[in-house]
Amino acid sequence: MAAAARARVAHLLRQLQRAACQCPTHSHTYSQAPGLSPSGKTTDYAFEMAVSNIRYGAGVTKEVGMDLQNMGAKNVCLMTDKNLSQLPPVQVAMDSLVKNGIPFTVYDNVRVEPTDASFMEAIEFAQKGAFDAYVAVGGGSTMDTCKAANLYASSPHSDFLDYVSAPIGKGKPVSVPLKPLIAVPTTSGTGSETTGVAIFDYEHLKVKTGIASRAIKPTLGLIDPLHTLHMPARVVANSGFDVLCHALESYTALPYHLRSPCPSNPITRPAYQGSNPISDIWAIHALRIVAKYLKRAVRNPDDLEARSHMHLASAFAGIGFGNAGVHLCHGMSYPISGLVKTYKAKDYNVDHPLVPHGLSVVLTSPAVFTFTAQMFPERHLETAEILGADTRTTRIQDAGLVLADTLRKFLFDLDVDDGLAAVGYSKADIPALVKGTLPQQTAVLSFPGATEPGARLSVHPYSYS
């Protein structure tokens, strides 16, 4: 049984290496000088941690004006979306800027689930504004859009595709200095306030891609739990699913010392390095918070304790996956959201079809962890127990099934859509979904067992039942 599992894993690896991109962002086989690393090893021997400065506290958004004053900012761009622009989080931020005499301009045309076109519109605004600092108030879409605007305004002669991951873009390293960016998250999911990643839909090819560089991470993240009180129930749930999968995937990712090749220069060591002892701590702590507080946060909009803890869990999981990586749930999620047909999620005020990111990630999780548990069953059992499973008499070979069943129960308790069929897909769509998954090499080659010869992923998460 174990030999057959390893054979399936290695077969998948060979398929992915043939099909997936080889850029520094999305590849474990990024370009480097010939020969071994300085350590003489072919797999990596080190990991590093990179994270934004974080400040947490109820009402901490009121300090943003003082922070910008301390930075000497004279011309600030405040980015948000049209819905949030009318809500308290943005008003509190603007009041702080006014109180501290900070000149600012609001850009409120951020698109929920941004595209290359919406990125470029924000970039043009930023380039014309010649801003010396940025404030992003919103969810991952706003923070990612602001990161991109800051990058290209700081590098005005660069083509849009210069920093976009190959093969869609050129995947160039970021060498220009960026302006300060303060991120004020209003959802509890992406952890984007801690990471150097900006994700968008490339509409021409109907795929998700992005920019990944430690250089674009925010200068400061202001985590203010008061902002979570405005979130509708489904937004809380879907954001929480993202935290759940960030924690599960980074904890069960390929360990950093099995990732190859070992970089010949530390500048080529990717942010998504594989599971490591520091990321593990953040991931497990985030998972414990999700298990204890997510259901409360969804069911009671006035439960400040639960929503505060989920806001912190989002950052904790962001620190974890931002330095370890995610794997198949996220790799498979991008075509699920990118190829959406007519589905519009409840509680999202948008004018276009939308499968929210957290939902697209969690839909495949029972199938994914049934498969990946074959390599590190102890970690899968540990996470199942954290989520409420009684594992005292569980056989180690049943770890994946136990975690999958635990996830199904957890998700059904939160009224999640029942598999891909519920968001508009049929079996006829599976080839397109697979095609959209293969280029996500950072994710699909970070799953446990990706170094084993002969793997083949043969689970179809078409439905939970």
Side-chain angles (χ1 to χ4, degrees):
M1 180 71 178
R6 293 190 186 97
R8 288 197 301 274
V9 175
H11 179 69
L12 173 61
L13 175 62
R14 288 197 297 269
Q15 287 183 313
L16 295 173
Q17 287 175 329
R18 288 194 295 267
C21 71
Q22 302 295 315
C23 68
T25 300
H26 282 118
S27 179
H28 295 300
T29 55
Y30 44 78
S31 176
Q32 63 177 45
L36 297 177
S37 71
S39 71
K41 292 175 67 68
T42 56
T43 57
D44 211 339
Y45 65 98
F47 64 92
E48 62 182 271
M49 300 298 291
V51 65
S52 306
N53 291 330
I54 296 296
R55 187 183 305 149
Y56 171 86
V60 75
T61 306
K62 293 182 292 186
E63 297 183 359
V64 67
M66 290 182 280
D67 286 315
L68 291 164
Q69 190 178 67
N70 294 339
M71 294 173 181
K74 304 295 183 185
N75 181 26
V76 173
C77 175
L78 189 154
M79 284 202 174
T80 190
D81 63 52
K82 291 192 182 300
N83 293 326
L84 267 172
S85 65
Q86 307 300 317
L87 295 174
V90 172
Q91 190 60 55
V92 171
M94 291 193 298
D95 289 347
S96 180
L97 298 184
V98 170
K99 181 178 179 180
N100 289 278
I102 304 296
F104 68 95
T105 305
V106 175
Y107 179 83
D108 66 357
N109 206 32
V110 169
R111 188 182 193 270
V112 177
E113 299 294 336
T115 65
D116 53 319
S118 71
F119 264 21
M120 286 190 281
E121 183 180 334
I123 289 164
E124 182 180 5
F125 182 86
Q127 289 174 336
K128 289 180 178 179
F131 302 108
D132 60 6
Y134 295 82
V135 177
V137 183
S141 297
T142 295
M143 290 184 278
D144 287 3
T145 300
C146 199
K147 291 174 191 177
N150 186 12
L151 171 60
Y152 289 96
S154 301
S155 186
H157 301 298
S158 295
D159 182 78
F160 177 70
L161 292 178
D162 281 352
Y163 298 117
V164 173
S165 301
I168 293 168
K170 299 175 183 177
K172 290 183 177 181
V174 177
S175 57
V176 296
L178 273 62
K179 304 300 183 184
L181 191 165
I182 299 177
V184 185
T186 58
T187 60
S188 304
T190 67
S192 187
E193 67 275 11
T194 72
T195 72
V197 177
I199 301 296
F200 65 93
D201 286 308
Y202 191 65
E203 293 182 298
H204 177 66
L205 298 179
K206 295 186 181 298
V207 296
K208 272 194 185 289
T209 185
I211 304 160
S213 169
R214 294 180 178 96
I216 69 171
K217 70 180 186 299
T219 311
L220 172 66
L222 296 180
I223 303 175
D224 187 341
L226 296 181
H227 297 334
T228 66
L229 297 178
H230 77 277
M231 285 196 294
R234 296 322 303 168
V235 177
V236 176
N238 292 327
S239 300
F241 296 152
D242 202 18
V243 180
L244 171 67
C245 288
H246 284 158
L248 286 170
E249 290 174 68
S250 62
Y251 191 61
T252 59
L254 184 74
Y256 77 95
H257 57 83
L258 297 181
R259 182 182 52 79
S260 64
C262 184
S264 60
N265 187 307
I267 198 171
T268 61
R269 180 170 285 115
Y272 284 5
Q273 304 158 97
S275 61
N276 61 77
I278 299 178
S279 288
D280 287 351
I281 293 171
W282 293 105
I284 284 296
H285 189 49
L287 189 62
R288 293 187 190 281
I289 295 173
V290 169
K292 184 174 181 179
Y293 289 107
L294 178 56
K295 292 178 184 179
R296 280 175 50 183
V298 171
R299 291 167 179 165
N300 184 357
D302 299 319
D303 190 338
L304 181 59
E305 179 188 16
R307 293 200 169 193
S308 296
H309 278 88
M310 284 303 303
H311 215 34
L312 262 183
S314 176
F316 293 164
I319 296 169
F321 91 85
N323 292 283
V326 287
H327 55 78
L328 292 174
C329 295
H330 272 77
M332 296 165 75
S333 79
Y334 295 133
I336 293 172
S337 56
L339 297 174
V340 60
K341 300 173 183 177
T342 59
Y343 180 85
K344 285 188 178 181
K346 181 183 177 183
D347 289 344
Y348 288 80
N349 185 16
V350 294
D351 60 0
H352 55 274
L354 174 68
V355 178
H357 172 67
L359 178 59
S360 70
V361 168
V362 86
L363 285 174
T364 64
S365 61
V368 163
F369 292 110
T370 300
F371 174 72
T372 59
Q374 298 170 88
M375 299 310 298
F376 296 120
E378 295 85 1
R379 289 198 168 207
H380 288 69
L381 271 186
E382 181 184 357
T383 56
E385 184 176 16
I386 290 171
L387 291 172
D390 182 352
T391 63
R392 289 173 295 180
T393 60
T394 301
R395 299 183 305 168
I396 196 70
Q397 59 264 41
D398 294 331
L401 296 174
V402 170
L403 178 54
D405 286 344
T406 304
L407 282 168
R408 289 187 186 96
K409 182 178 186 305
F410 189 85
L411 298 177
F412 281 140
D413 284 349
L414 289 168
D415 299 320
V416 75
D417 296 87
D418 185 11
L420 300 183
V423 296
Y425 292 106
S426 69
K427 291 182 179 179
D429 296 308
I430 289 176
L433 293 169
V434 171
K435 183 179 179 180
T437 297
L438 290 175
Q440 312 302 329
Q441 194 171 15
T442 290
V444 293
L445 290 187
S446 293
F447 73 89
T451 59
E452 295 289 332
R456 182 171 60 89
L457 178 61
S458 57
V459 290
H460 288 162
Y462 180 64
S463 174
Y464 290 151
S465 51

